[in-house]
Amino acid sequence: MEVFTSIKGLRSFLDQQLLQQKTVGLIPTMGALHEGHISLVDASIKQNDVTVSSIFVNPTQFNNPEDLLKYPRTLAEDCAMLEKAGCTAVFAPSVEEMYPEKSSLVINFGTLESVMEGASRPGHFNGVGIVVSKLFHIVSPHRAYFGQKDLQQVSIIQRLVADLAFNLELIVCPTIRETDGLAMSSRNRRLNDAERNIAPHIYRILEDAKKDLVAGINVKEVIAAATHAFSTIPEFTLDYFEVVDVKTLQPISEIGSAGTNAICVAAFLGPVRLIDNVVF
Ligand SMILES: Nc1ncnc2c1ncn2[C@@H]1O[C@H](COP(=O)(O)OP(=O)(O)OP(=O)(O)O)[C@@H](O)[C@H]1O
Ligand SMILES: CC(C)(CO)[C@@H](O)C(=O)[O-]
Ligand code: BAL
């Protein structure tokens, strides 16, 4: 497996691959890899000749300096996992390589970003839009892989691809969970033992809410019950719990047909902010 830190180095490697008519899959990540990331790598290896994983903790998408500072960084272990998985190349640039000058680009995703993660983390999706656009330009992948765990990010990137006519296929992969239901996430590493034991309640509350909605209980009541469930566990501070249309991401007062609804949650467990969702 090749590891590149410069855009030039990666580009010349990829140019050779393209000359040989090889297809390229890209998995953008911020590192501290887990089986969720590896599931994206596996999907890419099945569908492409060359799989590139990027590892870059993108400062422009962090609105909270402590979150950025404490974001886990484990490059050596990440590379070992990627090599074992059969990844072809890793792109792990420095901040200076990606941003030689401060970017002044502004990308506005309108109503897609005015809710949930976008509302709670001002500027977050502007930063995601900038870095993902740069990665798409640098790698020119045939396919790019993203996880459903970051549901709003998927919608934002679908929009970006359509608006800027990126010539690639977006592949959305299911959320990989621990055996107790907790969605795998790099930030889980920041939980202490007590917090880690409590964390699976996020998925339990999501699943209970889904069952109640499917059984016909109204959205307002279900949100109130979920909010109450979080309030009974004092370690949690709920940021949002929303029932939304999966396409528009706007709150709904009644659920629609199967596959068009999502429940999205963000909650602090101590200082760590975790997100999860179910689509049904
Ligand atoms: N549990 C998971 N299952 C499937 N895909 C995942 C999972 N966790 C993250 N991903 C996907 O991996 C890609 C890179 O995500 P990222 O590096 O931010 O990891 P993360 O675990 O989401 O970290 P964090 O949420 O703590 O920032 C994203 O497309 C994300 O949706
Ligand atoms: C897509 C991404 C790698 C952009 O920095 C990040 O938002 C993430 O890890 O989901
Ligand atoms: N997993 C999404 C990236 C972030 O939380 O900044």
Side-chain angles (χ1 to χ4, degrees), residues 28 30 34 37 71 146-147 149-150 174-176 184-187:
M30 302 205 300
H34 49 65
H37 297 113
Y71 200 87
F146 293 88
K149 198 206 74 180
D150 295 274
T175 302
I176 304 295
M184 291 190 183
S185 166
S186 305
R187 288 183 178 88

Side-chain angles (χ1 to χ4, degrees), residues 9 43-44 53 55 58 69 90 111 129 138 146 159 167 172 194 220-221 227 232 265 273:
S44 171
S53 178
I55 297 179
N58 173 38
L69 194 71
V90 175
T111 54
I138 292 165
F146 293 88
R159 188 81 234 200
N167 186 20
V172 182
K220 245 189 187 165
E221 259 180 72
T227 306
T232 62
V265 60
R273 187 172 176 282

Side-chain angles (χ1 to χ4, degrees), residues 44-262:
S44 171
I45 290 172
K46 283 204 188 98
Q47 294 184 311
N48 303 282
D49 303 314
V50 170
T51 291
V52 180
S53 178
S54 63
I55 297 179
F56 180 61
V57 183
N58 173 38
T60 65
Q61 71 187 70
F62 284 80
N63 63 314
N64 175 344
E66 192 188 335
D67 192 23
L68 174 60
L69 194 71
K70 298 222 167 128
Y71 200 87
R73 289 160 169 89
T74 57
L75 185 60
E77 288 99 314
D78 292 347
C79 288
M81 276 178 84
L82 290 171
E83 176 134 49
K84 189 163 165 244
C87 189
T88 323
V90 175
F91 179 49
S94 64
V95 173
E96 294 70 31
E97 181 71 5
M98 285 299 274
Y99 298 109
E101 282 176 46
K102 197 171 175 289
S103 174
S104 55
L105 204 60
V106 177
I107 312 179
N108 185 339
F109 293 97
T111 54
L112 281 184
E113 72 161 74
S114 61
V115 292
M116 301 192 289
E117 289 304 283
S120 289
R121 300 176 63 185
H124 172 61
F125 287 120
N126 187 49
V128 170
I130 292 170
V131 82
V132 170
S133 301
K134 286 189 94 149
L135 289 168
F136 285 172
H137 280 302
I138 292 165
V139 178
S140 298
H142 296 83
R143 298 185 184 85
Y145 296 79
F146 293 88
Q148 191 203 293
K149 198 206 74 180
D150 295 274
L151 187 72
Q152 194 173 3
Q153 173 168 280
V154 165
S155 294
I156 293 277
I157 292 168
Q158 279 165 344
R159 188 81 234 200
L160 188 78
V161 167
D163 282 357
L164 298 180
F166 281 110
N167 186 20
L168 56 83
E169 188 185 353
L170 274 189
I171 312 279
V172 182
C173 299
T175 302
I176 304 295
R177 300 180 180 280
E178 304 286 357
T179 48
D180 59 14
L182 175 65
M184 291 190 183
S185 166
S186 305
R187 288 183 178 88
N188 292 349
R189 296 180 191 223
R190 292 185 53 208
L191 300 173
N192 64 30
D193 289 348
E195 289 162 349
R196 173 63 189 82
N197 286 334
I198 292 166
H201 284 293
I202 298 174
Y203 185 54
R204 179 188 58 80
I205 296 170
L206 274 176
E207 282 286 298
D208 286 350
K210 182 178 92 179
K211 258 184 242 143
D212 288 348
L213 286 168
V214 171
I217 300 179
N218 78 56
V219 170
K220 245 189 187 165
E221 259 180 72
V222 169
I223 293 177
T227 306
H228 176 72
F230 276 104
S231 74
T232 62
I233 307 168
E235 288 82 357
F236 279 122
T237 306
L238 186 60
D239 185 350
Y240 61 77
F241 190 94
E242 302 265 15
V243 180
V244 300
D245 176 279
V246 78
K247 272 222 176 86
T248 64
L249 300 179
Q250 302 309 302
I252 49 179
S253 52
E254 269 176 37
I255 60 167
S257 53
T260 65
N261 314 288

